[in-house]
Amino acid sequence: MTEAAPDIGRPPPVEPDRDGRVDYEFGVSHELVSEVRDCLDQGRISEAGGKIAGLHAADLADLIEQIGPDLRGPLIDLLRPSFDAEIFAYLSQSLREVVLDQLEPKELAAAVAELESDDAIDLIEDLDAHQQREILDNLPPETRAVVEEGLTFPEDSAGRLMSRDLVSVPQFWTVGKTLDYLRTEADALPEDFYDVFIVDSMRRVVGAVPVSRVMRQKRSVRLADILTEDIRTVQAITDQEEVAFLFRQYGLVSAPVVDSAGRLLGVITVDDVVDVIDEEAEDDLLKLSGVPDTDIYRAVLDTTRSRFSWLFVNLLTAILASGVISMFETTIQHIVALAVLMPIVASMGGNAGTQTLTVAVRALAMRELSEANAMRVVAKEALIGTINGALFAVIVGVVAGLWFEDRLIGIVIGIAMIVNLFIAGLCGTLIPLGLARLKIDPAVASTVFLTTVTDVVGFFAFLGLAALILM
Amino acid sequence: MTEAAPDIGRPPPVEPDRDGRVDYEFGVSHELVSEVRDCLDQGRISEAGGKIAGLHAADLADLIEQIGPDLRGPLIDLLRPSFDAEIFAYLSQSLREVVLDQLEPKELAAAVAELESDDAIDLIEDLDAHQQREILDNLPPETRAVVEEGLTFPEDSAGRLMSRDLVSVPQFWTVGKTLDYLRTEADALPEDFYDVFIVDSMRRVVGAVPVSRVMRQKRSVRLADILTEDIRTVQAITDQEEVAFLFRQYGLVSAPVVDSAGRLLGVITVDDVVDVIDEEAEDDLLKLSGVPDTDIYRAVLDTTRSRFSWLFVNLLTAILASGVISMFETTIQHIVALAVLMPIVASMGGNAGTQTLTVAVRALAMRELSEANAMRVVAKEALIGTINGALFAVIVGVVAGLWFEDRLIGIVIGIAMIVNLFIAGLCGTLIPLGLARLKIDPAVASTVFLTTVTDVVGFFAFLGLAALILM
């Protein structure tokens, strides 16, 4: 079915416009944002309505985010008559709250009732108890029961992630009976699904048949004869990171969620997992940089407060490093060149250590670094640090020696460089491994520990050697 | 179909074992790795074979990675008689090469012929021309044609990502005719698929019908009446990051790939996109930390070389900062406390700047930061920097004043702190925005520019003010 010769042709319009801005192929364009902004700003409400008609909920969420605080209210008012609750799924946390505050509880409940159960739970779980109650009370009883039940599962568990809307049939059914069931019960079944789950009389999962396989079989074939038995099921209380690993590792599209007795509770589909994977990778990045979250729409004071604590910890470690320097005040007073050169040693150690740390934290998260190969990786990184340390010792030694016309000062900084880069490689792996052993997320605390070590060792090795050799 | 009350029960065994190691619910366990290692080490080959029988290709890849360099050869020999080429899809780049070297071209070609076309292209595209030729020559002509055609698409494009195996039918067909076609042609069609694509007589995509929807309809229904027209198609030359955005933004499971004339070429499914999303998030992390890749299985010298260049650039910026310090040698000689305190100002600026930078780089990648809101975000970050700068000015000012019993030195470091954290907020956003404007990946170069600025400004502001006020 691939007869047509491919015609690669010219690229789609991802060219920058006159102002050098890149417009993307998909999603909300800058032009649309500024057009809608102009309309709202000038009170041309129905024109704005025309421009956003037919946009996907994800694009509407982007529009709400990018339109700016001043016009966010009018935009939400415009969307309000038939607010699509799916927008919440795509909004950043701080803007969710803004939008929630602007909607009446009844409007909100009407919107939430339209959501699939997993999206509804995702929205409600982050609200405070009072807001939760208000929405739950306004939901139709059936939806409320499902949502309330979902909330009984632990946060970030498969039970919160799963959808209740699935197709399950008894194992003794035939393909024909299944097709008839799907046709007659069409309204009660989810709109799209990828697997038909096969259950026994106790609702325990015995297997699954991909929809495409059901379709290809004759009506007389028994499901029991075509089902895949060896499917991977997820416990409802399994952590979502474990779920993400499962989907990624085996390229799954959906997986059944079961209770501890193996009974079918729901289904997790890959689109829910994509969000978890996104969050997970982002988490490492943020934690290593000491940023609590990347929500650029958060209020200034909230953001300031959230960043303060990391900076405060960093201040303590910087003061510690200063303490090390102050041990050598007399030496510095005699050879002021030391004050000029000492940040180089500390900075190189910090950077080399961060390289190693990033690799180690990521490898731990991807489960490539484990007890099985930990010592090999530590030794390797220490060796890499030492080799690069030796290379930079030569470069920096020559530069410093020529700069201050003193061969000995070149030798001192060279030795300090080797020591610090060796320590950087060693600690860049040992610190995250140690934290992981202690069940502390290595991404959270590693950077602080590491830079403390490389600063202290850097200053101490350089100034200490200088005091010994040069004085 | 959700009658059964959920029985949450006890957690699955994700408890640490005696040695404090966590074993995960899914994937290869440490125990399995060490058991297989013991077997291979002691020559109990068939026992090792029994232990790995039935493992998924992804788990076999993990095993090859974790077993260590000494036993990797024997393990590959064990897998060799019927080597599953899908393993390559899960192996890290450097180990792919190790495994490739160990297999005969014919063995390899036999394995590759079993792959889906997108996986085959993914494997072959990274080989050198000689290896490519060798494998291609050993492939069956039909597979070779598909792979060679796939390689004509640009690297990292949708054309490389897509699979040729799809189901497409004419728009005038009925559900019944489609079902009959699927049943009779079962062997020629992909094993699993999620959408039936509807094409016109020119093979142009006119819409799609999810498989689950086909199943629910009566045989007499025409596809033209139930198809979704408004589907999102991808140009074959579209970049894979754009594809990842599309899938993430709209929660897609599959999307048709077309040529410039809109003719159907292939299909991209979400499992291919999950890898791209993973890579993308990881890329930001690595580039910000100056790590070319996280491949922990790469040879020591290759890794050392790849990290050297980033450290070298860092050395140049560190020397620049030293140059700034050397302008104030006389001042430092008089007040050696300045040498003790100056790293604090630079370090706090570097950390505050990195926080801002991480948020900005991530927001650019997620398309939350754009021309539409750039100036708002810059102003906000500069404000956050100034507020935190003021808070730390007080803390550090008091500490430094008491430490060196000199109120003026506290005032100097306080002012320098405010200046540097304001600059950190400003440059933490302006630098990545500027690089993005110049079409340079902001993650690659931002950190170096930023720390240069915060070091130079930090030292200059602190030492310059000290020279003015204290001398």
Side-chain angles (χ1 to χ4, degrees):
Chain A
M1 308 226 69
T2 55
E3 315 82 39
D7 174 6
I8 301 185
R10 289 194 307 147
V14 198
E15 302 286 296
D17 67 10
R18 275 174 321 194
D19 303 328
R21 296 180 298 199
V22 175
D23 229 335
Y24 298 105
E25 222 175 316
F26 306 111
V28 171
S29 67
H30 305 310
E31 284 68 36
L32 184 65
V33 175
S34 47
E35 282 170 24
V36 173
R37 188 185 282 159
D38 289 347
C39 288
L40 290 176
D41 202 25
Q42 293 156 25
R44 290 178 278 131
I45 304 297
S46 67
E47 195 182 332
K51 289 198 186 294
I52 65 174
L55 280 189
H56 188 280
D59 292 331
L60 288 173
D62 283 352
L63 195 60
I64 292 174
E65 289 179 346
Q66 299 197 5
I67 197 110
D70 44 333
L71 293 171
R72 207 163 275 146
L75 177 59
I76 295 166
D77 279 336
L78 180 60
L79 294 168
R80 213 166 161 171
S82 60
F83 193 84
D84 180 357
E86 224 195 309
I87 292 174
F88 285 114
Y90 301 98
L91 270 186
S92 72
Q93 187 55 35
S94 62
L95 288 189
R96 273 190 188 184
E97 283 162 29
V98 170
V99 177
L100 281 171
D101 285 346
Q102 207 174 325
L103 296 178
E104 299 290 326
K106 283 206 175 156
E107 286 177 314
L108 198 54
V112 172
E114 295 293 311
L115 288 179
E116 287 192 38
S117 57
D118 54 337
D119 289 332
I121 291 165
D122 180 50
L123 173 62
I124 288 179
E125 65 183 358
D126 292 325
L127 304 179
D128 61 44
H130 173 72
Q131 280 177 306
Q132 281 193 355
R133 203 61 266 158
E134 214 165 22
I135 296 181
L136 285 172
D137 287 344
N138 281 295
L139 284 179
E142 212 173 312
T143 319
R144 183 167 63 210
V146 173
V147 171
E148 281 179 337
E149 197 181 271
L151 290 171
T152 62
F153 294 106
E155 228 177 299
D156 296 336
S157 70
R160 292 269 180 116
L161 216 54
M162 74 184 181
S163 167
R164 294 287 181 152
D165 303 320
L166 53 80
V167 177
S168 66
V169 300
Q171 58 189 129
F172 55 82
W173 280 19
T174 61
V175 167
K177 186 160 170 63
T178 307
L179 286 174
D180 293 341
Y181 165 72
L182 292 173
R183 280 176 195 149
T184 51
E185 298 292 317
D187 291 342
L189 295 174
E191 198 164 304
D192 292 333
F193 51 93
Y194 315 112
D195 288 296
V196 173
F197 296 109
I198 317 296
V199 292
D200 67 10
S201 57
M202 302 287 290
R203 263 194 85 67
R204 283 182 303 228
V205 182
V206 294
V209 186
V211 174
S212 51
R213 197 187 301 163
V214 177
M215 270 177 55
R216 278 199 298 228
Q217 301 291 336
K218 297 217 164 58
R219 288 184 59 91
S220 57
V221 171
R222 276 161 39 98
L223 293 180
D225 296 330
I226 56 167
L227 62 76
T228 308
E229 272 178 31
D230 180 26
I231 58 168
R232 294 167 204 276
T233 57
V234 178
Q235 297 279 326
I237 53 162
T238 296
D239 189 85
Q240 61 176 14
E241 290 205 6
E242 192 72 25
V243 176
F245 176 81
L246 177 73
F247 273 73
R248 186 200 284 132
Q249 178 85 341
Y250 305 115
L252 304 185
V253 171
S254 76
V257 180
V258 297
D259 66 16
S260 60
R263 281 174 302 201
L264 185 61
L265 295 178
V267 61
I268 295 181
T269 47
V270 67
D271 52 311
D272 306 312
V273 176
V274 165
D275 295 336
V276 177
I277 290 176
D278 256 354
E279 278 173 35
E280 212 184 315
E282 188 172 281
D283 253 25
D284 285 344
L285 174 65
L286 300 185
K287 286 172 184 161
L288 284 172
S289 307
V291 190
D293 64 72
T294 46
D295 188 342
I296 63 169
Y297 307 104
R298 236 170 132 191
V300 169
L301 284 185
D302 286 346
T303 311
T304 308
R305 198 179 312 127
S306 74
R307 298 213 194 137
F308 179 87
S309 42
W310 169 268
L311 291 175
F312 187 75
V313 174
N314 178 64
L315 177 64
L316 297 182
T317 76
I319 290 176
L320 187 67
S322 291
V324 173
I325 300 172
S326 76
M327 292 161 55
F328 300 96
E329 278 187 30
T330 342
T331 319
I332 293 173
Q333 211 152 18
H334 279 95
I335 314 163
V336 79
L338 299 178
V340 174
L341 294 173
M342 67 184 186
I344 297 179
V345 182
S347 156
M348 293 295 284
N351 277 281
T354 304
Q355 289 180 329
T356 303
L357 187 65
T358 306
V359 171
V361 166
R362 193 66 191 149
L364 276 167
M366 303 304 287
R367 307 199 186 165
E368 293 186 336
L369 178 55
S370 65
E371 298 286 324
N373 58 359
M375 282 310 114
R376 237 180 355 251
V377 174
V378 171
K380 183 179 156 188
E381 288 293 337
L383 181 59
I384 292 171
T386 311
I387 298 174
N388 265 332
L391 294 172
F392 284 107
V394 174
I395 301 172
V396 173
V398 170
V399 170
L402 292 175
W403 187 354
F404 294 96
E405 291 166 4
D406 182 348
R407 197 189 302 167
L408 275 183
I409 216 168
I411 291 172
V412 166
I413 197 171
I415 299 175
M417 188 69 82
I418 297 175
V419 170
N420 209 19
L421 264 62
F422 163 72
I423 293 292
L426 199 65
C427 294
T429 41
L430 282 181
I431 290 173
L433 279 167
L435 289 172
R437 259 268 172 112
L438 298 172
K439 312 227 170 316
I440 300 170
D441 181 347
V444 175
S446 287
T447 310
V448 171
F449 280 118
L450 177 77
T451 52
T452 307
V453 171
T454 53
D455 276 359
V456 166
V457 170
F459 291 132
F460 190 82
F462 179 57
L463 297 174
L465 281 168
L468 275 178
I469 297 176
L470 302 177
M471 294 289 281
Chain B
M1 309 229 67
T2 55
E3 315 84 37
D7 173 5
I8 301 184
R10 289 193 309 146
V14 199
E15 302 285 297
D17 67 9
R18 275 174 320 193
D19 303 329
R21 294 181 299 200
V22 176
D23 231 335
Y24 298 106
E25 221 174 316
F26 306 111
V28 172
S29 68
H30 304 310
E31 283 69 36
L32 184 65
V33 175
S34 47
E35 282 171 24
V36 174
R37 189 185 281 159
D38 289 345
C39 288
L40 290 175
D41 202 25
Q42 293 156 25
R44 290 179 278 131
I45 304 297
S46 67
E47 196 182 331
K51 288 199 186 294
I52 65 173
L55 280 189
H56 188 280
D59 292 331
L60 288 173
D62 284 351
L63 195 60
I64 293 173
E65 290 179 346
Q66 299 198 5
I67 197 111
D70 45 333
L71 292 171
R72 208 163 275 146
L75 177 59
I76 295 165
D77 279 337
L78 180 61
L79 295 168
R80 212 166 162 170
S82 60
F83 194 84
D84 180 357
E86 225 195 308
I87 292 174
F88 285 114
Y90 300 98
L91 269 186
S92 72
Q93 186 55 37
S94 62
L95 288 189
R96 274 190 188 185
E97 282 162 28
V98 170
V99 177
L100 281 171
D101 285 345
Q102 206 174 326
L103 296 177
E104 299 290 327
K106 285 209 171 152
E107 285 177 314
L108 198 54
V112 172
E114 295 291 311
L115 287 179
E116 285 191 39
S117 57
D118 54 336
D119 288 333
I121 291 165
D122 179 50
L123 172 62
I124 288 179
E125 66 182 358
D126 292 324
L127 303 180
D128 60 43
H130 173 71
Q131 281 178 307
Q132 281 193 356
R133 204 59 270 158
E134 215 165 21
I135 295 182
L136 284 173
D137 288 345
N138 282 295
L139 283 179
E142 212 173 312
T143 319
R144 183 167 63 210
V146 173
V147 171
E148 281 178 338
E149 199 181 270
L151 290 171
T152 63
F153 294 107
E155 227 176 302
D156 295 337
S157 69
R160 293 266 180 119
L161 216 55
M162 74 185 181
S163 168
R164 294 286 180 153
D165 304 321
L166 54 81
V167 177
S168 66
V169 300
Q171 58 187 131
F172 56 83
W173 280 18
T174 60
V175 166
K177 186 159 171 62
T178 308
L179 286 175
D180 293 343
Y181 165 72
L182 292 173
R183 281 177 195 148
T184 51
E185 297 292 316
D187 291 342
L189 296 173
E191 198 164 304
D192 292 332
F193 51 92
Y194 315 113
D195 287 297
V196 173
F197 296 110
I198 318 294
V199 292
D200 66 11
S201 57
M202 304 287 290
R203 265 194 84 67
R204 282 181 305 227
V205 181
V206 294
V209 186
V211 173
S212 51
R213 198 186 302 162
V214 177
M215 271 178 55
R216 280 200 298 227
Q217 301 292 334
K218 298 217 164 57
R219 288 184 60 93
S220 57
V221 172
R222 277 163 39 99
L223 293 180
D225 295 330
I226 55 167
L227 62 77
T228 307
E229 272 178 29
D230 180 27
I231 59 168
R232 295 167 203 274
T233 56
V234 178
Q235 297 279 326
I237 53 163
T238 296
D239 189 85
Q240 62 176 14
E241 290 205 5
E242 192 73 25
V243 176
F245 176 81
L246 177 74
F247 272 73
R248 187 199 284 132
Q249 178 84 342
Y250 306 116
L252 303 185
V253 171
S254 76
V257 179
V258 297
D259 66 16
S260 61
R263 280 174 304 201
L264 185 61
L265 295 178
V267 61
I268 295 180
T269 47
V270 66
D271 52 312
D272 306 312
V273 176
V274 164
D275 295 337
V276 176
I277 290 177
D278 256 353
E279 278 172 34
E280 213 184 315
E282 187 172 282
D283 254 26
D284 285 343
L285 174 65
L286 301 186
K287 286 172 184 162
L288 283 173
S289 308
V291 190
D293 64 72
T294 46
D295 189 342
I296 62 168
Y297 307 105
R298 237 172 132 190
V300 168
L301 283 184
D302 287 346
T303 312
T304 308
R305 198 178 311 126
S306 74
R307 299 214 193 138
F308 179 89
S309 41
W310 168 268
L311 290 175
F312 187 76
V313 174
N314 177 65
L315 177 65
L316 297 181
T317 76
I319 290 176
L320 186 68
S322 291
V324 173
I325 300 172
S326 76
M327 292 161 56
F328 300 96
E329 279 188 30
T330 341
T331 320
I332 292 172
Q333 211 152 20
H334 279 93
I335 314 164
V336 79
L338 299 178
V340 174
L341 293 172
M342 67 184 186
I344 296 179
V345 182
S347 155
M348 292 295 284
N351 276 283
T354 304
Q355 289 180 330
T356 303
L357 187 65
T358 306
V359 172
V361 166
R362 194 65 191 150
L364 277 167
M366 302 306 287
R367 307 200 186 164
E368 293 187 337
L369 178 56
S370 64
E371 299 285 323
N373 59 359
M375 282 311 113
R376 239 182 351 253
V377 174
V378 172
K380 183 180 157 189
E381 288 293 336
L383 181 59
I384 292 171
T386 312
I387 299 175
N388 265 331
L391 294 173
F392 284 106
V394 175
I395 301 172
V396 173
V398 170
V399 170
L402 292 175
W403 187 353
F404 294 97
E405 290 166 2
D406 182 347
R407 198 191 302 167
L408 275 183
I409 216 168
I411 291 172
V412 166
I413 198 171
I415 299 175
M417 188 69 83
I418 296 176
V419 171
N420 209 19
L421 264 59
F422 162 73
I423 293 292
L426 199 65
C427 294
T429 41
L430 283 181
I431 290 173
L433 278 167
L435 289 172
R437 258 268 171 112
L438 298 171
K439 313 229 171 314
I440 300 169
D441 181 347
V444 175
S446 288
T447 310
V448 171
F449 280 119
L450 177 77
T451 51
T452 308
V453 172
T454 52
D455 276 359
V456 167
V457 171
F459 290 133
F460 190 82
F462 179 56
L463 297 174
L465 281 169
L468 275 178
I469 297 177
L470 301 178
M471 296 286 283

